[in-house]
Amino acid sequence: EVQLVESGGGLVQPGRSMKLSCAASGFTFNNYDMAWVCQAPKKGLEWVATISYDGSSTYYRDSVKGRFTISRDNAKSTLYLQMDSLRSEDTATYYCARCAVATDFDYWGQGVMVTVSS
Amino acid sequence: DIQMTQSPPSLSASLGDKVTITCQASQNINKYIAWYQQKPGKAPRLLIRYTSTLESGTPSRFSGSGSGRDYSFSISNVESEDIASYYCLQYDNLNTFGAGTKLELK
C-alpha cells in the first residue's frame, strides 16, 4: 500500500525557516517524481514544487522561487521541502504527492499544517 | 504560466441529478488534465486523468471530456457521497489547479 506521511509543520514566525519531510513507503520511491502542493485555509489547491525521480531537476511556482527548496533522499525514501524567508501568505496545509506517469498526482499524504505568524 | 479557469465556483444539486464542471486553459494543454475530489479535512483523491481515463476505483458515474483549451467533468446520478469540492489540474506544462467547485445538496 502506498503511504506518504508528512511531518515537520507547526507555528513559525515570519522571516524564519521550516523544513517539511515526507516519508514514503509501499512503492519504489526512486522511480517516481515527487511534488509538494499546498492549500491555504478555506482556499484551493496550489502546486508548489516538483523534483525528478533522481533529484536532478526541480521546478517551482514563481511565488516560492528562491525561498523554497525541494529535495529528496532516495536511500531514505524521503522527500523534503526547505522553506526559508517564510511569509504569512505561506500559511497552508502542505501535501506531499507522488507524480503518476506524467506529472499528475496519484497519491497524496494526509497533509501538514504550517502557520506563519508572529 | 498556464491559467485554469474553473466554473462554476459552487453547484447545488439534488440526488440523482447530473452536474457538469468546466475548466478552460489559457492555452492548449493537449488533454493533460486531471480531476480531483476533496472532502473536508482530507487529501484530494484523483478521479480522472488524461481528460477521460477513470482511475481504479472511480465510479462510472464520473466522466470527463474535452480537448485543446476546453474540458468538462460530469457526475451523472449524484449520490450523497459525491458532496465535496472538485478541482481540475493541468499537467501539460508544470502544474496549475483550477480554483475549485464546491458541490452541495439542494
Side-chain angles (χ1 to χ4, degrees):
Chain A
E1 178 194 6
V2 172
Q3 285 200 321
L4 299 169
V5 180
E6 301 96 337
S7 60
L11 175 64
V12 62
Q13 292 180 329
R16 303 296 291 264
S17 299
M18 178 172 277
K19 187 172 186 175
L20 305 181
S21 299
C22 171
S25 61
F27 65 102
T28 304
F29 184 69
N30 58 16
N31 283 354
Y32 289 86
D33 296 356
M34 297 292 296
W36 290 96
V37 174
C38 72
Q39 185 170 35
K42 306 291 188 186
K43 300 294 186 182
L45 300 166
E46 285 191 340
W47 167 74
V48 175
T50 297
I51 187 167
S52 61
Y53 67 98
D54 61 356
S56 62
S57 299
T58 57
Y59 310 90
Y60 299 92
R61 66 178 296 111
D62 286 347
S63 62
V64 307
K65 278 181 187 174
R67 299 190 301 122
F68 290 12
T69 303
I70 188 172
S71 63
R72 63 193 297 160
D73 184 334
N74 283 346
K76 295 183 178 179
S77 296
T78 302
L79 177 72
Y80 302 101
L81 186 66
Q82 175 68 43
M83 303 184 292
D84 298 324
S85 303
L86 281 160
R87 307 167 180 168
S88 58
E89 55 264 37
D90 296 320
T91 293
T93 295
Y94 285 77
Y95 295 98
C96 116
R98 189 181 83 167
C99 297
V101 175
T103 55
D104 51 330
F105 312 124
D106 59 355
Y107 286 93
W108 298 62
Q110 84 286 354
V112 62
M113 184 69 200
V114 173
T115 302
V116 184
S117 174
S118 54
Chain B
D1 293 5
I2 298 175
Q3 309 303 315
M4 298 295 288
T5 303
Q6 183 173 343
S7 62
S10 63
L11 265 179
S12 185
S14 299
L15 297 179
D17 281 355
K18 178 177 181 177
V19 298
T20 298
I21 298 167
T22 64
C23 269
Q24 183 176 65
S26 56
Q27 64 189 64
N28 179 9
I29 56 171
N30 300 300
K31 295 195 170 186
Y32 288 108
I33 187 168
W35 293 92
Y36 293 84
Q37 177 191 68
Q38 187 181 33
K39 297 184 177 180
K42 299 293 187 182
R45 171 193 171 195
L46 176 62
L47 298 176
I48 290 174
R49 62 188 308 274
Y50 198 58
T51 297
S52 58
T53 301
L54 269 61
E55 281 297 285
S56 174
T58 300
S60 59
R61 64 181 181 276
F62 293 92
S63 64
S65 65
S67 62
R69 294 175 56 206
D70 297 305
Y71 299 85
S72 64
F73 167 85
S74 295
I75 311 171
S76 59
N77 299 313
V78 166
E79 298 188 5
S80 57
E81 66 185 34
D82 301 335
I83 301 309
S85 292
Y86 292 86
Y87 295 89
C88 64
L89 167 73
Q90 72 79 17
Y91 56 104
D92 181 63
N93 185 345
L94 298 181
N95 295 108
T96 313
F97 286 94
T101 297
K102 188 173 183 179
L103 176 61
E104 298 173 317
L105 270 180
K106 193 179 291 182

